[in-house]
Amino acid sequence: MPTTPSKHLETFPNPDPGRDYTIEIRIPEFTCLCPKTGQPDFATLYLDYVPDQRCVELKALKLYIWSFRDEGAFHEAVTNTILNDLVSATAPRFMRLRAEFNVRGGLYTAVTVDYRMPGWTPPGPVPKPLPERAVVDTPPPSDSAQVLAPVTASLSPPTPPAPEPPAAAPEVKPESSPPRPWERGARQPEAKPAEPASRGLAQQRKLPESLRPPAPRGAEVKPTEAKAPVPSKPAVTPPAPKKKPEPVFLGIDLGSAGCRLCAIDEQRRIVATARTPLPPAIKRGAEISQDPALWWQAVSAGLHELFKTVAPERVRRIAVDGTSGTLLLCGRDGTPITDAILYNDGRALAQAERIAAYAVRHSGAHGVGSALAKLLWFHDKNLHRNAAFAAHPADWIVGKLTGRWGQSDYNNCLKLGYNAEAMRWPEWLAALDINMELLPTVHASGEHVAAIGAECARAFGLSPDCEVMAGTTDGVASFLAAGGQRPGHAVTSLGSTLVLKLLSDKPVFAPEHGVYSHRLGRYWLAGGASNSGGAVLLQYFDVEQMEEMTPLIDPEHFTGLDYYPLLDIGERFPHNDPKKTAVLEPLPNDSVTFFQGLLEGIARIEAQGYELLQQLGAPAISEVRTTGGGARNPAWQRLRERILGVPLKKPVSDQAAYGSALLAAGLIDKSLLSESESRAAQVL
């Protein structure tokens, strides 16, 4: 087990899952940083939870708590983050976290957050004994009746019996006994007159006739009075059956910076959304990686957040999208064997050169950013020996949801070498001497993969009939969300990176330019992904600064700055050059001009990409829709419209999760097929 701070929370099986019991953990040395001053904040954490199937391992919890000591966070935010991560890791029946922070500025802060598993009801408290009441005196029963009188035990202190008249029996002082735990420190009650030994419990508590002790043999039994017949109750009309809740369809978009979820109904209307962030990826030179456990924590937290708005049992189908250039190796039970190598990692340069020697020209596996190059890197490092499957982010989340591993779709597998035209793995892969058993089973996007797993259904309250469908890539999901319908329609995703998709009636491939085509039923999505994009902007400005500068930009006049913005060394599209460097000179005298120059540079990369696609055989763009955070910047929209020379149309949705939800609902064909085309055609 590691001994350095880690965000990974290990768990172990609950030793007694059939019982509701509480685990209480006190963590007195929590430390984080004030996000305003950078000074340390100290707190004591109190964690109480009722486990379901998993318990958190204490050393892993300690290392997880340590991981916050150099992070800036508000008290409220960090408390919710810790609870969300713990809920994601353990899926408890109930969990409560209370953070009591030390004094700062003369103020004490305490934050308490709760989670309760949908459908879980805590057991009732231990019942107290019935109150004792005096009754009319009756002749005492014989000794035999005393033997037959029932005896009860209680966990609560008994109420002293009511005193009898003085003539009934002499007063007897009870022997003193030590106070019970709940009585310690309290004043002891005065001794009461003893009850006659022959007085039965049934007399003291007026028990029903059926529960009273039987009379002794030979004793006279008084006849019971005849009771009037109880009139029959009128027939009650059974209530009308409850209306079955309207189904919803869930899309999950897993990116490298966060997770978004979107639930829609059968009319394509958004019912609920949720979003959870991911910590930054780990960078070591050209190597960029991420812990897959963080993905599941983000997805789980997003599901819990979403189900505060929509009932989980309404979810009928789920589809997941992710980045196809990201890859990890996992065991047969899904346990990660390696960290995930991200799409923009540059370590597999030598492996990409080997692929170029064997792969056909139109393969999507070319380039250092391909998933196949990363798989070869794992092989060369002998990390594949204990692995069972190679998995993209969407594949791994599908496995977590269903318990069925080694499943993927033909869009995610494109960069792993899959031939989407022939719908099979190509023969040239064998020349690379890789373990072909690591390659997943490939489904058409939107095809049924498996039902939701029992553990996930129980943890999130999902119906066991919920289906998980084969997903797609984030770029394809963004296109589906935007609403492109016919060849010539294009969608630009302005997120952390710049992704172009152009609907074409034929595939377009050009590995020397980083161009590839995803299958979309009878059509193809030609395009590419640049390493430029919003992440470059965030390297120089935060969101608030960009919002303040946007009204100061003059989109009708270009700056004359010929920038090529890149975050790191290397580019994928429209120039597939792993050694390409950013061009960010000359520097102007003010930040607004520099900001506008960056926006213009990214827009020019976009225009170059669409021009290249047309030169390679794709149709000319007739309209462009924009998704991602950049779509909300009006000045950037106008700059792009001038540079592209075509109208920019508002997308139906700018979220890839909405596209995955459409995929889950089976509504994609209605977006892409016109009324005149055959209704029997199957899209996705």
Side-chain angles (χ1 to χ4, degrees):
M1 179 177 288
T3 57
T4 57
S6 171
K7 293 293 186 184
H8 179 58
L9 285 166
E10 292 189 23
T11 61
F12 61 90
N14 181 359
D16 196 351
R19 170 179 294 159
D20 283 332
Y21 64 97
T22 303
I23 299 174
E24 301 177 2
I25 302 173
R26 179 174 174 267
I27 307 166
E29 298 179 351
F30 176 79
T31 306
C32 64
L33 301 179
C34 173
K36 293 292 187 181
T37 66
Q39 297 298 313
D41 281 329
F42 302 94
T44 298
L45 307 183
Y46 298 89
L47 176 66
D48 302 335
Y49 71 103
V50 178
D52 186 35
Q53 300 300 313
R54 312 293 299 176
C55 300
V56 66
E57 198 279 325
L58 293 183
K59 185 171 182 180
L61 176 61
K62 178 181 72 172
L63 298 177
Y64 170 78
I65 293 300
W66 281 3
S67 70
F68 290 91
R69 61 188 178 187
D70 294 324
E71 296 183 5
F74 290 104
H75 297 167
E76 298 81 0
V78 72
T79 308
N80 277 279
T81 296
I82 294 173
L83 182 79
N84 289 340
D85 289 349
L86 287 167
V87 167
S88 300
T90 62
R93 298 169 189 173
F94 174 82
M95 181 172 285
R96 170 173 293 152
L97 177 66
R98 178 174 176 81
E100 296 184 356
F101 288 86
N102 289 6
V103 64
R104 176 172 288 280
L107 300 175
Y108 288 92
T109 302
V111 182
T112 303
V113 287
D114 292 351
Y115 162 79
R116 186 189 300 272
M117 177 186 290
W120 179 73
T121 303
V126 178
K128 295 183 178 181
L130 296 173
E132 299 180 357
R133 294 175 291 181
V135 298
V136 179
D137 193 17
T138 57
S142 64
D143 291 341
S144 59
Q146 184 177 349
V147 173
L148 294 173
V151 179
T152 61
S154 171
L155 296 179
S156 300
T159 304
E164 291 291 321
E171 291 186 3
V172 179
K173 283 190 176 183
E175 295 182 4
S176 61
S177 59
R180 302 181 185 183
W182 53 79
E183 296 172 333
R184 293 191 182 113
R187 185 173 61 88
Q188 300 299 312
E190 296 180 2
K192 300 291 184 180
E195 188 72 17
S198 61
R199 189 72 67 185
L201 185 64
Q203 292 176 307
Q204 298 176 27
R205 297 193 177 175
K206 285 190 175 179
L207 293 180
E209 187 74 29
S210 60
L211 298 181
R212 294 187 184 180
R217 295 180 181 178
E220 180 181 357
V221 180
K222 296 183 179 180
T224 57
E225 297 181 1
K227 296 183 180 180
V230 179
S232 60
K233 295 182 180 180
V236 179
T237 304
K242 292 184 178 180
K243 185 179 179 181
K244 190 174 181 180
E246 293 292 329
V248 297
F249 306 92
L250 177 58
I252 300 174
D253 169 40
L254 181 63
S256 58
C259 175
R260 292 178 181 267
L261 300 92
C262 179
I264 65 172
D265 61 17
E266 292 175 308
Q267 287 72 45
R268 304 168 181 263
R269 295 173 300 201
I270 295 177
V271 177
T273 60
R275 179 182 180 183
T276 52
L278 277 169
I282 300 173
K283 295 184 179 182
R284 301 184 185 91
E287 299 183 358
I288 306 175
S289 61
Q290 200 166 44
D291 183 357
L294 298 174
W295 301 344
W296 181 240
Q297 291 177 14
V299 171
S300 298
L303 288 171
H304 289 303
E305 185 66 26
L306 187 86
F307 293 150
K308 293 178 182 178
T309 305
V310 61
E313 59 269 17
R314 292 179 59 189
V315 178
R316 180 176 294 178
R317 291 194 288 271
I318 302 173
V320 187
D321 72 78
T323 307
S324 61
T326 298
L327 196 76
L328 73 142
L329 297 182
C330 64
R332 197 158 297 280
D333 62 351
T335 302
I337 303 297
T338 67
D339 280 347
I341 301 180
L342 295 197
Y343 64 93
N344 54 346
D345 183 284
R347 75 182 76 181
L349 186 59
Q351 289 75 17
E353 293 175 353
R354 284 167 52 196
I355 293 171
Y358 295 100
V360 296
R361 182 179 180 277
H362 62 271
S363 173
H366 287 280
V368 69
S370 75
L372 184 59
K374 298 173 177 64
L375 179 58
L376 278 181
W377 187 90
F378 285 137
H379 260 267
D380 292 347
K381 299 296 181 181
N382 290 322
L383 298 174
H384 67 290
R385 296 187 180 278
N386 297 322
F389 304 109
H392 306 92
D395 310 342
W396 195 74
I397 294 299
V398 166
K400 292 290 287 185
L401 290 170
T402 63
R404 188 179 178 192
W405 301 93
Q407 310 297 312
S408 189
D409 63 89
Y410 57 32
N411 290 331
N412 269 295
C413 287
L414 180 73
K415 293 187 177 181
L416 199 53
Y418 188 75
N419 186 336
E421 292 183 87
M423 297 295 288
R424 60 179 174 81
W425 292 105
E427 296 178 357
W428 58 262
L429 280 176
L432 295 174
D433 195 27
I434 61 173
N435 180 5
M436 298 291 286
E437 293 183 359
L438 294 175
L439 300 178
T441 300
V442 182
H443 301 263
S445 294
E447 185 178 273
H448 172 85
V449 174
I452 193 75
E455 185 174 348
C456 278
R458 182 172 53 252
F460 300 110
L462 293 162
S463 167
D465 298 326
C466 176
E467 298 178 86
V468 179
M469 320 303 286
T472 185
T473 65
D474 50 354
V476 174
S478 293
F479 183 90
L480 299 176
Q485 296 181 351
R486 57 180 179 268
H489 288 188
V491 173
T492 297
S493 175
L494 289 176
S496 300
T497 59
L498 173 68
V499 181
L500 309 186
K501 295 294 179 185
L502 176 59
L503 194 61
S504 174
D505 51 7
K506 63 180 181 180
V508 177
F509 290 93
E512 65 273 18
H513 296 291
V515 174
Y516 52 91
S517 294
H518 284 294
R519 187 166 186 161
L520 191 59
R522 63 191 297 264
Y523 293 120
W524 295 83
L525 276 180
S530 169
N531 286 340
S532 186
V536 182
L537 303 176
L538 290 171
Q539 190 177 30
Y540 299 99
F541 308 105
D542 59 33
V543 175
E544 292 181 356
Q545 290 173 323
M546 288 188 280
E547 290 176 348
E548 292 174 357
M549 290 187 293
T550 294
L552 305 177
I553 289 175
D554 183 5
E556 303 302 325
H557 296 87
F558 295 132
T559 61
L561 298 171
D562 190 16
Y563 287 168
Y564 199 106
L566 289 173
L567 188 64
D568 292 304
I569 297 174
E571 173 63 306
R572 299 178 289 169
F573 167 83
H575 308 281
N576 190 8
D577 181 2
K579 299 180 181 179
K580 185 173 181 59
T581 58
V583 177
L584 296 174
E585 293 181 349
L587 291 176
N589 294 326
D590 63 280
S591 298
V592 174
T593 304
F594 179 61
F595 178 48
Q596 181 171 340
L598 293 174
L599 298 181
E600 292 172 1
I602 298 173
R604 277 192 294 271
I605 296 173
E606 178 186 10
Q608 293 170 16
Y610 284 125
E611 290 171 3
L612 176 62
L613 293 176
Q614 185 178 354
Q615 293 170 9
L616 294 171
I621 57 174
S622 57
E623 66 177 41
V624 177
R625 301 170 191 256
T626 310
T627 63
R632 294 186 287 273
N633 188 310
W636 200 2
Q637 294 289 85
R638 177 56 184 156
L639 285 169
R640 293 175 53 235
E641 195 169 45
R642 293 186 62 207
I643 293 173
L644 291 172
V646 296
L648 298 184
K649 289 198 172 183
K650 185 177 180 181
V652 176
S653 172
D654 65 352
Q655 299 300 328
Y658 181 79
S660 288
L662 291 172
L663 194 63
L667 297 173
I668 302 303
D669 55 336
K670 300 176 184 178
S671 300
L672 296 177
L673 297 182
S674 66
E675 292 295 328
S676 61
E677 290 173 322
S678 171
R679 294 182 181 275
Q682 294 285 332
V683 176
L684 297 182

